[in-house]
Amino acid sequence: MYSSLFCRLYNEFGWNEYPRTFAEELLTWLDARHIHIRTALDIGCGTGVLCEALSDHGIETLGIDLSAEMIAIAQERAPLLSYRVADMVTFSTSDRFDLVTCTGDALNHITDAHELRKVVSNVWDALNPGGLFVFDLLNAGEVPDGDPFEADFDGGLTVRFRADHDFDGFTTLRIDGCNNGVHAFSEVIRERLYEVDEICDMLAEAGFKILQCSGSLLEGKQSTTWYIVTRKHNRRMN
């Protein structure tokens, strides 16, 4: 579970820009295909940036996150939006949605493949027939080896980031913060680099049809991320 200070600094790291860009590209993708979304669920919503963007577009949106601190920040940012503290591995809801999103490589944080299958099943259950599941996933073949780097923030805070990639398909991000030379917090974020074929097979087994799997939601862009768009089948595969 993330520390309180880390959660408070999350957007300061610039990580809020990613869901904002994702929202712009997703809305463009939907508009180009004349797909009208009325309700959306964002799992692993963090500080709520994507939820805010979808809501601004007229979509009734619910965000869930395992971190109560993240949810508190999201609710503080947008008091009129709906958020819940919930684990994407175990959550269930009687509500049904036209769209489920999951961004910021949140699914890579699920390092057990069996638990990831539970997430996929939960999403299938939460979608209306024909609903969309749109998410990103780190591209195991493109993730670069990153040298440690530091960033300075207001109030004398210095944050050091270091990413280590294992040979067994895992990556570990270590984040250490010092306030005026005094240690303030440490975070270790462990992620699994799934092969995209494994994920697509998992989705198909759960009853999803793959509509798009590429380096960007829109043409002409490539990144270290897979963007996967799927549609729920009316009949679940067993």
Side-chain angles (χ1 to χ4, degrees):
M1 189 68 66
Y2 297 145
S3 68
S4 176
L5 181 56
F6 175 81
C7 292
R8 288 285 163 185
L9 289 169
Y10 188 87
N11 286 349
E12 298 293 331
F13 298 150
W15 292 345
N16 57 330
E17 289 302 317
Y18 180 80
R20 187 174 290 118
T21 301
F22 181 93
E24 293 172 358
E25 295 187 359
L26 174 58
L27 292 170
T28 299
W29 190 94
L30 293 168
D31 288 345
R33 290 157 180 78
H34 307 289
I35 298 174
H36 178 63
I37 300 296
R38 295 168 299 173
T39 56
L41 169 67
D42 186 29
I43 61 176
C45 67
T47 57
V49 174
L50 177 56
C51 291
E52 293 173 30
L54 296 177
S55 179
D56 288 344
H57 200 70
I59 299 171
E60 183 179 345
T61 306
L62 168 67
I64 69 168
D65 198 281
L66 180 62
S67 168
E69 185 69 25
M70 288 289 198
I71 291 296
I73 294 169
Q75 201 73 77
E76 181 181 301
R77 287 169 52 92
L80 298 181
L81 297 190
S82 297
Y83 294 101
R84 297 178 194 166
V85 178
D87 186 341
M88 67 174 73
V89 177
T90 58
F91 87 94
S92 63
T93 174
S94 59
D95 297 325
R96 295 295 176 265
F97 303 88
D98 299 326
L99 169 69
V100 175
T101 53
C102 188
T103 65
D105 52 84
L107 290 183
N108 291 101
H109 291 211
I110 310 299
T111 59
D112 183 287
H114 179 67
E115 290 192 345
L116 187 56
R117 284 186 171 84
K118 290 181 180 179
V119 175
V120 171
S121 177
N122 293 339
V123 170
W124 196 96
D125 289 338
L127 280 168
N128 285 318
L132 298 176
F133 180 28
V134 184
F135 62 94
D136 62 37
L137 199 72
L138 289 175
N139 184 339
E142 299 292 336
V143 175
D145 289 325
D147 294 327
F149 69 94
E150 292 184 352
D152 294 322
F153 298 91
D154 293 340
L157 180 68
T158 299
V159 180
R160 187 174 191 269
F161 301 83
R162 176 187 176 91
D164 296 307
H165 307 299
D166 302 336
F167 290 106
D168 56 355
F170 289 85
T171 182
T172 303
L173 176 62
R174 293 177 171 84
I175 307 171
D176 292 287
C178 290
N179 200 338
N180 294 312
V182 179
H183 181 263
F185 71 91
S186 294
E187 297 291 342
V188 177
I189 301 174
R190 181 84 163 160
E191 295 182 301
R192 180 170 175 177
L193 300 176
Y194 290 96
E195 294 295 336
V196 70
D197 289 345
E198 178 184 3
I199 300 302
C200 288
D201 288 346
M202 191 181 296
L203 290 161
E205 290 169 4
F208 285 96
K209 179 180 180 181
I210 311 297
L211 302 182
Q212 180 173 321
C213 180
S214 60
S216 173
L217 281 173
L218 305 179
E219 293 183 4
K221 294 182 62 179
Q222 285 297 123
S223 69
T224 58
T225 302
W226 288 109
Y227 293 82
I228 302 177
V229 183
T230 67
R231 186 184 299 279
K232 176 181 177 176
H233 280 188
N234 290 330
R235 181 178 65 82
R236 191 168 190 166
M237 298 178 182
N238 293 315

